[in-house]
Amino acid sequence: MDPNQQPSTDAFQVGQRVHFAGQPRRVGKVKYVGPVEGYSGIWVGVDWDADGEGKHDGSHNGVSYFNARGPKTASFARPHNLSSGVSLLEALEARYRTTSTKEEEDEMYVLSARNQKVSIELVGKDKIQDKLSRYEELTSGSLSYLGVSLPGSPEHVSSALPNLKELDLTGNLLARWEDVGIICEGLPALEALNLSNNALSPDITLVPQLSGIRVLVLNHTGVIWKQVEVLKDSLPHLEELHLMGNNIREITPVSATSVQGFNSLRLLNLENNCLATWDEIIKLSQLPSLEQLLLNNNDLSRLWYPDSATPREGSDNAYETLEKSFKPFNSLRGLILGGNNIEDLESVDSLNSFPNLTDIRLSENPVADLGEGGVPRFVFIARLAKVQIFNGSEVSPRERKDSEIRYVRLVMSKSHGSPEEINRLHPRFTELKKIHGIEDERPSIGSSGPQKMSSGLISISLKCVGASMGEKPTLVKKLPATTTVGKLKNLCESFFKLKSVKPLLFLQEEGSPLPTLLEDDMASLIELGVGNGSTILVDEFS
């Protein structure tokens, strides 16, 4: 049966998932079945999943038939232009046993030098097609966007796909958890299941048995943590759970302050949700095997380690009642926090308290945005004692040493408070001075100007990259650490004999994908973290 074959007209019901005939990626929900004023026959009103797929908001000629998600997400269609979907095995047949017609093969040609059609023969096509059509040999299958709405008989599925371990059902018409359970029942070897972009029902009346599943992907399905808790006991071997884009705002354990169970869960993906307070994340701290926690693109503004420290402002102190027999986040090695609203260095420093955390992402947060008062990469590396991968780039031993020395020098050049105040603002400062043997020098201001550290020379490489500057050799210069960006620009004009060119300076740092613009002409090199061996790119205003 073709996956676009149409069911009978009376098959359409309000609430049903459908796709447009011949366009299985154009998926929506039936909101109305009946007459439309001014037109004959029965019409089906559909609210499409994708914005801009429709023509109106559920109203036509001043009559409101249903309420759509948006002003242009709804349309009316004749029943024969919609599909209510197919079974799993029908979709399998369409995906893996489709053969080209003679007409299609006749259209496969190239033009010769004399503009004559030369037919193409696909070498090995029959062998590949034969292998794909032997379902019993399939271990991985993709049935994405084929209009799957029914599981079919578990016995038939099991006999057809006895060895299937991975199944991708992205973008289909599945809505009932009961049907998901039937599919898993018919696939005894199944370990990885992707149900992304299926609008799954929030009501789980019959909990499916998913005991063999190790990887479950539920991105953009509307599944929130309440449903996860219902499914928990049926997923005893789950290792990866993906819940991206589900508008999750809170983590809601059933009967405890923190989430219990999920003893095998190693990776939890909560990216692109609406989590706004770290108290919600603390509820995940007792998961014993959790190694990777993905929280990109939420609304988190502060974070801390849930120990017995003084409660943070705005916290509901949920962590105080956590089980003390297990160290919070004990197995966590990767914490991915890009695209949030973190802006304080106290949150950054708290990451040192996580016992085994070595992979951290903080890109696209205010604290990492130099244009918003954030700090450069070397400051993060210096403040984070255990980080081995930062923002996706490995931190080499050389980069760590250079970053820590530059950081200590930066603090010494800018800090004028008491030692206690300095250590409060820079918790690793004293430790790093001892590690690298840096004496506690304080600049003295007198008739001869700033001394010692402030007047020390640093060796930097200056490299021209401007299009109109021509090829110029890289220069290595020793300059005072107190040289300002504005002064260095003037020196570059002299060094490279630049005429009618206004230079732009960028700091190129190891591990950073893009160089950092040095835009504050009054800032000194040491304040910007420029140290021995740094490379400055000299560009031009375009």
Side-chain angles (χ1 to χ4, degrees):
M1 178 179 175
D2 189 302
N4 296 320
Q5 183 174 332
Q6 306 309 313
S8 61
T9 301
D10 58 7
F12 295 109
Q13 299 176 358
V14 172
Q16 183 179 1
R17 301 284 294 167
V18 296
H19 69 73
F20 201 82
Q23 300 180 35
R25 289 180 176 271
R26 189 181 179 190
V27 178
K29 186 177 184 179
V30 175
K31 288 291 192 75
Y32 173 81
V33 179
V36 173
E37 187 175 320
Y39 298 88
S40 62
I42 299 299
W43 293 81
V44 181
V46 181
D47 194 5
W48 303 105
D49 290 354
D51 293 339
E53 289 282 358
K55 298 180 179 179
H56 51 74
D57 62 357
S59 301
H60 186 66
N61 288 338
V63 180
S64 177
Y65 295 88
F66 60 94
N67 294 320
R69 290 185 309 107
K72 294 286 185 180
T73 63
S75 59
F76 290 103
R78 291 294 191 184
H80 67 268
N81 286 326
L82 298 173
S83 172
S84 60
V86 295
S87 71
L88 180 74
L89 290 182
E90 288 170 338
L92 189 74
E93 186 89 10
R95 173 59 53 87
Y96 291 105
R97 279 196 181 154
T98 300
T99 56
S100 56
T101 65
K102 184 179 185 305
E103 290 76 13
E104 290 171 333
E105 292 181 355
D106 287 343
E107 289 299 314
M108 298 173 66
Y109 62 84
V110 295
L111 293 176
S112 69
R114 297 183 178 181
N115 209 34
Q116 300 294 314
K117 291 183 179 180
V118 179
S119 298
I120 296 175
E121 180 181 354
L122 297 178
V123 178
K125 181 191 73 171
D126 293 339
K127 185 182 292 186
I128 295 171
Q129 195 65 55
D130 179 62
K131 184 175 181 179
L132 289 175
S133 66
R134 293 200 299 271
Y135 300 154
E136 67 276 5
E137 296 183 12
L138 284 177
T139 57
S140 177
S142 175
L143 301 179
S144 59
Y145 294 99
L146 285 177
V148 177
S149 60
L150 301 168
S153 163
E155 294 78 14
H156 292 162
V157 172
S158 180
S159 62
L161 297 163
N163 297 307
L164 195 71
K165 293 183 178 181
E166 300 176 0
L167 178 58
D168 183 1
L169 288 170
T170 297
N172 281 288
L173 306 178
L174 294 166
R176 301 194 312 159
W177 282 102
E178 181 180 353
D179 292 336
V180 174
I182 293 172
I183 290 173
C184 293
E185 179 187 346
L187 298 170
L190 192 65
E191 296 180 353
L193 178 61
N194 189 344
L195 294 168
S196 297
N197 295 101
N198 285 272
L200 296 170
S201 171
D203 300 318
I204 308 176
T205 53
L206 184 62
V207 178
Q209 291 306 306
L210 310 170
S211 58
I213 299 297
R214 297 182 182 275
V215 178
L216 183 58
V217 186
L218 299 172
N219 299 334
H220 305 286
T221 56
V223 171
I224 59 175
W225 200 263
K226 179 181 178 181
Q227 284 91 52
V228 173
E229 289 286 337
V230 175
L231 295 170
K232 179 170 59 179
D233 292 337
S234 68
L235 292 162
H237 303 298
L238 190 66
E239 296 178 7
E240 290 188 20
L241 178 60
H242 298 261
L243 297 166
M244 292 177 61
N246 288 343
N247 294 315
I248 295 173
R249 299 179 182 276
E250 57 182 350
I251 306 297
T252 50
V254 172
S255 57
T257 304
S258 60
V259 174
Q260 304 296 316
F262 288 119
N263 292 332
S264 301
L265 189 65
R266 295 184 299 103
L267 183 149
L268 177 59
N269 185 348
L270 290 166
E271 294 183 354
N272 300 303
N273 280 291
C274 305
L275 295 162
T277 68
W278 194 248
D279 288 305
E280 299 303 320
I281 310 305
I282 296 297
K283 297 173 186 176
L284 303 168
S285 65
Q286 300 294 300
L287 294 173
S289 302
L290 187 63
E291 297 178 2
Q292 296 286 329
L293 181 55
L294 281 59
L295 295 168
N296 281 338
N297 302 316
N298 276 275
D299 297 317
L300 299 166
S301 58
R302 301 191 71 190
L303 61 100
W304 60 88
Y305 184 72
D307 54 15
S308 57
T310 304
R312 272 63 171 179
E313 182 181 353
S315 167
D316 64 6
N317 305 333
Y319 61 89
E320 291 185 353
T321 60
L322 295 175
E323 294 291 333
K324 298 301 180 183
S325 59
F326 179 80
K327 200 165 187 178
F329 293 114
N330 191 51
S331 299
L332 194 66
R333 286 169 172 76
L335 183 57
I336 311 302
L337 289 161
N340 280 277
N341 299 316
I342 298 166
E343 57 185 4
D344 64 302
L345 287 170
E346 182 182 1
S347 291
V348 175
D349 294 332
S350 73
L351 295 171
N352 286 313
S353 298
F354 289 69
N356 297 294
L357 189 59
T358 58
D359 183 356
I360 299 169
R361 180 178 290 275
L362 288 168
S363 54
E364 299 181 60
N365 278 276
V367 73
D369 185 345
L370 296 179
E372 296 293 330
V375 298
R377 176 182 172 91
F378 80 90
V379 172
F380 288 109
I381 293 170
R383 296 184 83 120
L384 296 169
K386 293 176 290 197
V387 66
Q388 297 174 10
I389 300 174
F390 184 71
N391 286 346
S393 297
E394 184 178 356
V395 179
S396 68
R398 177 182 173 182
E399 185 186 10
R400 172 161 291 285
K401 179 180 178 180
D402 290 348
S403 296
E404 291 176 348
I405 292 173
R406 290 168 63 187
Y407 174 68
V408 170
R409 289 174 174 168
L410 174 64
V411 174
M412 292 176 71
S413 72
K414 296 184 70 174
S415 297
H416 305 290
S418 66
E420 293 78 13
E421 178 69 7
I422 293 173
N423 285 322
R424 184 185 69 81
L425 296 174
H426 306 278
R428 297 197 70 217
F429 177 65
T430 301
E431 173 194 357
L432 292 177
K433 281 199 302 178
K434 291 179 180 178
I435 290 174
H436 298 291
I438 301 174
E439 295 183 7
D440 191 8
E441 299 172 339
R442 304 291 291 179
S444 59
I445 306 298
S447 59
S448 60
Q451 300 296 315
K452 293 186 179 181
M453 199 28 178
S454 297
S455 61
L457 299 179
I458 57 175
S459 178
I460 62 174
S461 297
L462 298 169
K463 182 178 181 181
C464 278
V465 296
S468 70
M469 295 178 179
E471 289 193 16
K472 298 181 183 295
T474 298
L475 298 182
V476 178
K477 295 289 184 180
K478 287 188 175 181
L479 300 171
T482 53
T483 302
T484 64
V485 172
K487 176 65 174 176
L488 182 56
K489 288 179 179 179
N490 292 334
L491 290 172
C492 286
E493 292 178 7
S494 174
F495 292 154
F496 294 109
K497 296 180 173 55
L498 303 178
K499 296 180 180 180
S500 303
V501 173
K502 192 173 182 182
L504 277 175
L505 303 183
F506 293 85
L507 174 62
Q508 188 174 52
E509 295 187 275
E510 181 182 351
S512 293
L514 296 172
T516 302
L517 175 63
L518 305 180
E519 56 184 340
D520 185 355
D521 283 352
M522 301 303 295
S524 67
L525 298 182
I526 193 170
E527 289 175 333
L528 297 170
V530 179
N532 266 323
S534 292
T535 298
I536 303 292
L537 303 180
V538 183
D539 203 347
E540 59 187 317
F541 278 100
S542 56

